[in-house]
């Protein structure tokens, strides 16, 4: 069973930065797609950023392009989300997720991800 553990959330003022980390433990075999999602109460979970294990494909939601950067350290089975120029609208619970796939083509919809972390709260104040 895969375990995903997020860290790095917190409270920050608008314009500030945070770096989220997601460490995968247990077996990581064929966890070829990793993503960050966020959710606020009463709304659907939305994709924020994603990366395939080869690093050949990334995804960013339009709302975070140019501000957020996803990266990974495969040797550490860890994915990062660097969040800069944070806005109050970025306030949400952030989740890391992994999809077990046969190849490196990733579908970034939440429904396609097999494993989820417990979430880490990000709060941005104006």
């Amino acid at each position: 069973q895969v375990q995903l553990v997020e860290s790095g959330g917190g409270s920050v003022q608008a314009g500030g930065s945070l770096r989220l980390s997601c460490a995968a433990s247990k077996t990581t075999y064929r966890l070829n797609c990793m993503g960050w999602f966020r959710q606020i109460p009463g709304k659907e979970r939305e994709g924020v950023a994603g990366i395939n294990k080869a690093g050949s494909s990334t995804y960013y939601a339009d709302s975070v392009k140019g501000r957020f950067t996803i990266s990974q350290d495969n040797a550490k089975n860890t994915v990062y989300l660097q969040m800069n120029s944070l806005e109050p609208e970025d306030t949400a619970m952030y989740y890391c997720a992994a999809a077990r796939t046969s190849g490196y083509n990733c579908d970034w919809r939440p429904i396609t991800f097999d494993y989820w972390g417990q979430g880490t709260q990000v709060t941005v104040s104006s």
Side-chain angles (χ1 to χ4, degrees), residues 71-84:
S71 61
Q72 63 189 347
D73 184 335
N74 288 335
K76 295 181 178 180
N77 292 323
T78 301
V79 176
Y80 306 96
L81 184 67
Q82 178 67 43
M83 305 186 295
N84 298 329

Side-chain angles (χ1 to χ4, degrees), residues 12-111:
V12 65
Q13 288 192 327
S17 298
L18 286 172
R19 187 194 195 204
L20 305 183
S21 299
C22 171
S25 63
K26 308 291 185 182
T27 177
T28 60
Y29 177 61
R30 285 173 50 184
L31 291 184
N32 293 327
C33 302
M34 300 294 295
W36 286 98
F37 299 81
R38 65 187 182 187
Q39 188 171 25
I40 60 176
K43 287 201 171 184
E44 291 188 358
R45 192 168 295 186
E46 65 169 353
V48 176
I51 188 168
N52 68 1
K53 197 164 191 176
S56 59
S57 176
T58 56
Y59 160 82
Y60 292 98
D62 288 342
S63 58
V64 307
K65 283 180 182 177
R67 300 188 298 120
F68 291 10
T69 302
I70 190 169
S71 61
Q72 63 189 347
D73 184 335
N74 288 335
K76 295 181 178 180
N77 292 323
T78 301
V79 176
Y80 306 96
L81 184 67
Q82 178 67 43
M83 305 186 295
N84 298 329
S85 301
L86 282 161
E87 303 169 352
E89 292 74 22
D90 296 316
T91 295
M93 184 71 79
Y94 283 71
Y95 297 90
C96 173
R100 196 181 297 280
T101 64
S102 59
Y104 294 132
N105 291 324
C106 301
D107 182 336
W108 303 115
R109 293 175 297 161
I111 195 172

